[in-house]
Amino acid sequence: MISKPKGTVDLIKTDSKYYKYISDVFDAYCEKYNYKFIRTPIFEASELFHRGVGDSSDIVRKETYDFKDRGDRNITLRPEGTAGVVRSFIENKMYADVIQPVKLYYNGTMYRYERPQSGRLREFTQLGVEIFGSNDPLIDAEIISLPINIYNSLGIENTVVKINSLGDNESRENYKKALKEYIKPHLNDLCSDCKERFEKNPLRILDCKIDKDSDILKNAPKISNYLSDKSKSHFKKVIEYLELLEINYEINENLVRGLDYYTDTVFEIETNLKELGTANVLGAGGRYNNLVQDLGGPETPAVGFALGIDRLIAILKLKEINIPIKNEIDAYIMYVNETEKEKAIYLNQNLRLNGFISEINSLNKTLKAQFKEADRYNAKYLIILNSEDFKESLITIKDNITKEEEKIKELDLIEYLDTHL
Ligand code: HAM
C-alpha cells in the first residue's frame, strides 16, 4: 500500500463535509463584502517568493518546496497566496481597472516543509482576501471584520485579534536601529536563530518562540515609540474602527509576523482553545504597502488576510459544532427488470435536472435490498417502478416516512414532488 506523504491529509467523510461548509460560508461572505474570486497557479517562479515573501523569512529559508522543471526553470510550490495574487495584479494591470480598490478572494492549497503536527501541515488550504489601492484604515478594519464574522457564523465566538503596527518605512528603519543598538550587548544570551535574525531581520527577534519571555526582550524598546505621525494616526483609526465594529482586540507590540512584506497594520486572530496549542492562530494578515512596487508594479497600498481551513475543521470537530449538512435524498427509484431499469435511468436524470436529489440502484440489488438501501440514504420518497403500470403511464410513489403510497401519472411526478417536498 502506498501511503499519503507526511504532513498531508485526505479530506473525507466528516472532514470533507466541514471543509465544503467552511469554504461555502467563506465564499458567501466574500461575495457580500463585494470581493471578486481569483485563482492563481499553485507553482510560480521561485524568485517571486524570494522577493515577495522575503529571503530572510523562515518560510523561504527553510520551508519552501523548490524544484527545477524539465525546462530547467526554478519553480516553487506556493507557500502562501499573497505573492501570487500580487504578481497577477501587476501582470494583468489591475491597477488600471475602473473600479478601485481591487478586492480579491481566493482559496487554494499551500505548501510548507514544516514539522508536521496537529494544525500544522505540509499541504494545507488557505482562504484569503487581498485589497489593492486603498490606504484608508477602514479597509484594514474591513479585512479584520470579515474573518471575525465568518468565525462567528461558524459558531467560533471566542476569538481575539492580536494587533500591532510595524509602521511605515521610516518608522521601521528608526526602530530597527534602536532595537539593534539595544540587543547588541545581549546578543550572546539569545538563541542561535535570534543571532542570525539580528543582521537580516531584527524585528523577528521580538516574537522568537524561545526567547520571547526573557527580560532582554521584555525590556526592549517599543515600536509604538518609533512610529511616524502618519503611521500613528493610521493605527489609531484602525483601532477606532475595530471598536466601532465591536471587534475584540488586544494590542501586542511584539507581534511582527513571519513574512517580510508587512508595513503598518499586522494582526493574528487567535482562539482560546487550549487543545490547539500553537495552532490556535486561526488566521492572520496585514498591510503590505511596498510589495506591489517591490515586485515591479506601481506604488499601490495593499492589505490582506488568510485563514487556514484545516485548523477550522479541527475546531468544528472539537467543539462538535453542528452544521447544516444534508444527509438525505429526495427520491430513490426502484426497479427489477431491464424495461423498468431504462425508465428508472430516464426518470433519475429528469429528477436531477429538475433540482431534486435522487438515487438509483446500481448494484443489481433485489427489491428487498433496494428498500434497505433507500433507508440508508434517508430517501424521503420511493419511486417504485412496475412495467405492468407503464401501459397506463403510471408509477408508484411512496412516502418513506408515513409509508403511504399512491399511483400517479409519470408526467405528474415533478409537480407531485414539488408540492410534497
Ligand atoms: P500566515 O500567517 O503564514 O500568513 O498564514 C495564514 C494562516 O494560514 C495561519 O494563520 C494558519 O491558520 C494557516 N497556516 C499557515 N501555515 C499552516 C500550516 N503549515 N498548516 C496549516 N495551516 C497553516 C500568510 O500566509 C499571509 N499570506 C496572510 C496574508 C494575506 N497577509 C496579507 N494577505
Side-chain angles (χ1 to χ4, degrees):
M1 191 193 71
I2 300 169
S3 311
K4 60 183 172 341
K6 206 172 161 188
T8 64
V9 285
D10 290 320
L11 284 176
I12 55 167
K13 301 182 183 177
T14 315
D15 286 1
S16 72
K17 287 178 189 158
Y18 278 129
Y19 176 93
K20 176 95 179 44
Y21 178 65
I22 295 165
S23 50
D24 285 351
V25 169
F26 177 78
D27 289 356
Y29 269 89
C30 287
E31 294 288 329
K32 277 190 222 174
Y33 274 69
N34 198 25
Y35 294 77
K36 305 288 174 237
F37 181 71
I38 180 170
R39 184 186 176 282
T40 61
I42 286 175
F43 62 87
E44 298 265 7
S46 302
E47 191 195 349
L48 175 68
F49 302 110
H50 286 277
R51 282 172 53 193
V53 176
D55 275 333
S56 66
S57 67
D58 283 352
I59 296 178
V60 169
R61 278 176 46 234
K62 303 183 199 158
E63 296 173 1
T64 48
Y65 279 85
D66 303 308
F67 59 96
K68 275 201 190 287
D69 72 4
R70 287 169 199 266
D72 213 28
R73 298 173 196 90
N74 289 315
I75 298 290
T76 296
L77 297 185
R78 61 181 177 198
E80 56 101 54
T82 309
V85 173
V86 173
R87 190 228 5 95
S88 174
F89 174 83
I90 300 167
E91 196 167 343
N92 295 293
K93 300 188 175 57
M94 289 186 229
Y95 45 80
D97 284 1
V98 183
I99 295 181
Q100 297 288 336
V102 173
K103 299 170 58 166
L104 303 170
Y105 77 96
Y106 54 89
N107 65 47
T109 47
M110 309 292 158
Y111 300 83
R112 293 184 193 175
Y113 195 81
E114 300 211 59
R115 198 162 54 80
Q117 47 189 294
S118 143
R120 205 171 286 280
L121 297 161
R122 289 184 174 170
E123 182 191 66
F124 58 98
T125 303
Q126 277 187 349
L127 308 177
V129 291
E130 314 290 347
I131 300 185
F132 298 93
S134 171
N135 197 33
D136 195 313
L138 88 82
I139 292 290
D140 305 44
E142 171 177 314
I143 282 272
I144 296 172
S145 74
L146 171 78
I148 296 294
N149 287 327
I150 291 172
Y151 298 143
N152 286 344
S153 98
L154 292 172
I156 305 168
E157 275 146 7
N158 295 326
T159 51
V160 55
V161 178
K162 302 275 170 79
I163 190 166
N164 190 20
S165 172
L166 300 180
D168 52 20
N169 298 348
E170 182 201 332
S171 321
R172 242 180 358 272
E173 281 318 309
N174 288 339
Y175 179 61
K176 268 187 201 166
K177 227 165 100 197
L179 186 65
K180 281 179 83 171
E181 264 167 35
Y182 166 81
I183 297 262
K184 203 166 183 181
H186 305 289
L187 203 54
N188 279 339
D189 302 322
L190 297 178
C191 74
S192 57
D193 272 352
C194 282
K195 285 184 189 121
E196 219 174 294
R197 287 172 187 139
F198 181 75
E199 285 307 334
K200 289 190 189 141
N201 195 350
L203 292 190
R204 287 286 287 159
I205 296 178
L206 292 176
D207 73 349
C208 170
K209 302 277 172 294
I210 301 166
D211 290 321
K212 74 175 188 313
D213 294 324
S214 73
D215 283 342
I216 305 173
L217 293 194
K218 277 188 192 152
N219 299 325
K222 299 276 172 242
I223 192 156
S224 54
N225 294 327
Y226 292 80
L227 293 184
S228 65
D229 289 346
K230 215 170 130 210
S231 286
K232 230 183 248 170
S233 76
H234 184 94
F235 192 47
K236 192 167 163 265
K237 276 286 167 200
V238 174
I239 297 294
E240 267 175 44
Y241 295 154
L242 290 185
E243 284 175 2
L244 181 84
L245 297 172
E246 297 176 4
I247 290 170
N248 186 19
Y249 72 90
E250 268 171 31
I251 296 175
N252 175 353
E253 292 218 39
N254 286 346
L255 180 72
V256 293
R257 308 272 303 122
L259 304 103
D260 288 355
Y261 48 61
Y262 291 111
T263 59
D264 284 298
T265 318
V266 287
F267 64 94
E268 291 185 348
I269 304 176
E270 288 185 9
T271 160
N272 59 2
L273 285 175
K274 299 271 173 295
E275 295 87 335
L276 294 171
T278 57
N280 68 339
V281 178
L282 299 187
R287 271 209 168 267
Y288 48 95
N289 286 351
N290 298 333
L291 187 58
V292 176
Q293 207 171 17
D294 288 349
L295 291 176
E299 198 180 335
T300 310
V303 57
F305 163 84
L307 63 83
I309 199 167
D310 305 275
R311 293 184 188 177
L312 288 185
I313 294 173
I315 296 183
L316 294 193
K317 273 168 68 175
L318 202 71
K319 294 183 82 174
E320 293 178 5
I321 287 177
N322 271 328
I323 55 169
I325 297 172
K326 248 199 150 142
N327 200 14
E328 57 201 11
I329 64 171
D330 297 319
Y332 184 85
I333 309 174
M334 304 163 77
Y335 62 88
V336 179
N337 62 36
E338 184 61 25
T339 317
E340 292 160 6
K341 183 174 182 178
E342 282 173 13
K343 174 74 73 192
I345 293 169
Y346 172 78
L347 286 178
N348 198 27
Q349 162 159 289
N350 205 13
L351 287 177
R352 289 166 174 174
L353 293 181
N354 278 282
F356 299 104
I357 305 170
S358 68
E359 196 44 279
I360 188 174
N361 155 35
S362 59
L363 291 172
N364 205 14
K365 287 183 191 284
T366 62
L367 199 58
K368 196 171 158 207
Q370 289 181 55
F371 274 105
K372 276 199 186 138
E373 179 153 87
D375 286 343
R376 265 184 236 120
Y377 281 129
N378 293 322
K380 292 184 215 156
Y381 280 91
L382 310 180
I383 295 162
I384 307 159
L385 301 181
N386 179 343
S387 41
E388 287 299 304
D389 292 337
F390 292 173
K391 288 173 228 133
E392 295 165 75
S393 302
L394 290 173
I395 54 176
T396 299
I397 186 155
K398 180 171 179 175
D399 183 323
N400 204 22
I401 295 160
T402 63
K403 305 294 175 199
E404 278 166 27
E405 70 174 58
E406 57 185 305
K407 281 195 187 200
I408 62 167
K409 285 269 184 216
E410 183 194 324
L411 274 177
D412 294 338
L413 176 61
I414 301 296
E415 202 186 321
Y416 184 95
L417 289 177
D418 264 336
T419 46
H420 287 76
L421 277 169

